[in-house]
Amino acid sequence: MKFIIDHFLLVGIAVLSGGALLWPVLTQRGKKASPQQVTLLINRGKATIVDVRDAAAFGEGHLPDARNIPLGELDKRRGELEKFKNRTAVVVCQKGTRAFGAAKILEKAGFADVVVLDGGIDAWKTQGMPITK
């Protein structure tokens, strides 16, 4: 206890930095799916893939049959996905962090089942899953 009192600034910095490291994990709300789980959804024909990266990144490689709607345009273009509301919407970004914002937009638009590809396209490639160019 004496150490904490004598070094309150050091302890405060340690607690603050630990909180900063945990913040991204704590703020991600929503369902995540591993590349294997997404593969099962695709194979069963129950998924619509929404890639929210920009067109250049999408052109470098994407999941098969993915629809490219950049995150900044998703709110305006969500009507393109209306006919897929009864399917699971799988949202994909580069690393799996920006996709949570897109998932919230789709949930507000009435999509009942929205999941985020855990780790994004990077995790998909790491697992050796197929990429379409």
Side-chain angles (χ1 to χ4, degrees), residues 51-60 68-71 73 94 98:
D51 195 320
V52 295
R53 297 176 298 150
D54 62 23
F58 184 79
E60 291 175 11
N68 181 229
I69 303 178
L71 183 57
E73 300 173 16
Q94 193 66 39
R98 295 182 328 150

Side-chain angles (χ1 to χ4, degrees), residues 44-121:
R44 292 179 184 156
K46 296 183 177 185
T48 298
I49 311 300
V50 181
D51 195 320
V52 295
R53 297 176 298 150
D54 62 23
F58 184 79
E60 291 175 11
H62 53 86
L63 275 68
D65 298 324
R67 287 164 175 68
N68 181 229
I69 303 178
L71 183 57
E73 300 173 16
L74 183 60
D75 208 23
K76 291 181 272 184
R77 294 178 54 191
R78 68 178 182 228
E80 297 174 24
L81 302 170
E82 285 294 318
K83 59 185 170 188
F84 303 111
K85 278 189 174 183
N86 60 342
R87 300 172 77 184
T88 301
V90 179
V91 184
V92 179
C93 67
Q94 193 66 39
K95 299 194 181 293
T97 53
R98 295 182 328 150
F100 284 100
K104 287 180 185 177
I105 292 170
L106 292 177
E107 286 171 351
K108 286 180 184 176
F111 286 80
D113 192 19
V114 181
V115 297
V116 171
L117 175 60
D118 192 20
I121 195 80

